[in-house]
């Protein structure tokens, strides 16, 4: 068996708000609470387990999405009213990027984490 990422814990000011926000933006449904976590499972089986916390640093999570789903995801980001930007340093506010011939955008979740959706992985397709 090759090594695969199974899950990560994402600390949040309010796990329910953050899990529901990310799930809505990505067009997913949060799973039922499991212990202290509210899971959001991606298409490749990796789960983001949101957990309440008062003490955390900003995380960054990037999601590779099909080009045909990008427009709908980006529309939900804009509709949410959250800040979005083209570059990982927060510059290019209100813009997207077209690195490696794809489309990408960073956006803030309710707890201040920097989320990203992109249609082409960094460095392009091999």
């Amino acid at each position: 068996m090759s090594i695969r990422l199974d899950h990560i814990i994402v600390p949040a000011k309010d796990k329910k708000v953050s899990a529901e926000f990310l799930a809505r933006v990505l067009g997913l449904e949060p799973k039922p609470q499991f212990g202290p976590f509210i899971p959001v499972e991606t298409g490749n089986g990796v789960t983001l387990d949101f957990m309440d916390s008062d003490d955390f640093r900003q995380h960054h999570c990037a999601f590779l999405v099909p080009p045909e789903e990008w427009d709908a995801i980006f529309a939900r980001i804009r509709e949410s009213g959250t800040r979005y930007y083209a570059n990982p340093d927060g510059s290019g506010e209100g813009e997207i990027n077209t690195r490696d011939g794809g489309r990408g955008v960073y956006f803030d979740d309710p707890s201040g984490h920097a989320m990203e959706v992109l249609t082409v992985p960094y460095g392009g397709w091999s």
Side-chain angles (χ1 to χ4, degrees), residues 26-87:
L26 296 178
L28 304 170
E29 290 289 329
K31 302 286 185 187
Q33 184 164 329
F34 178 76
F37 308 112
I38 297 182
V40 175
E41 186 177 346
T42 64
N44 62 342
V46 175
T47 303
L48 289 85
D49 290 329
F50 286 86
M51 179 180 86
D52 286 333
S53 178
D54 293 325
D55 183 29
F56 60 88
R57 293 180 185 209
Q58 180 191 60
H59 283 49
H60 170 73
C61 299
F63 302 92
L64 186 61
V65 302
E68 59 273 9
E69 292 182 31
W70 198 90
D71 287 325
I73 291 169
F74 184 52
R76 290 189 292 268
I77 291 168
R78 288 193 322 259
E79 289 166 6
S80 77
T82 192
R83 183 174 89 91
Y84 66 89
Y85 39 99
N87 303 303

Side-chain angles (χ1 to χ4, degrees), residues 85-92 95 97 99 106:
Y85 39 99
N87 303 303
D89 65 359
S91 64
E95 300 173 7
N97 66 65
R99 282 191 282 283
Y106 298 82

Side-chain angles (χ1 to χ4, degrees), residues 101-117:
R103 292 180 289 170
V105 69
Y106 298 82
F107 60 99
D108 295 336
D109 91 333
S111 291
H113 296 302
M115 302 295 179
E116 177 185 10
V117 291

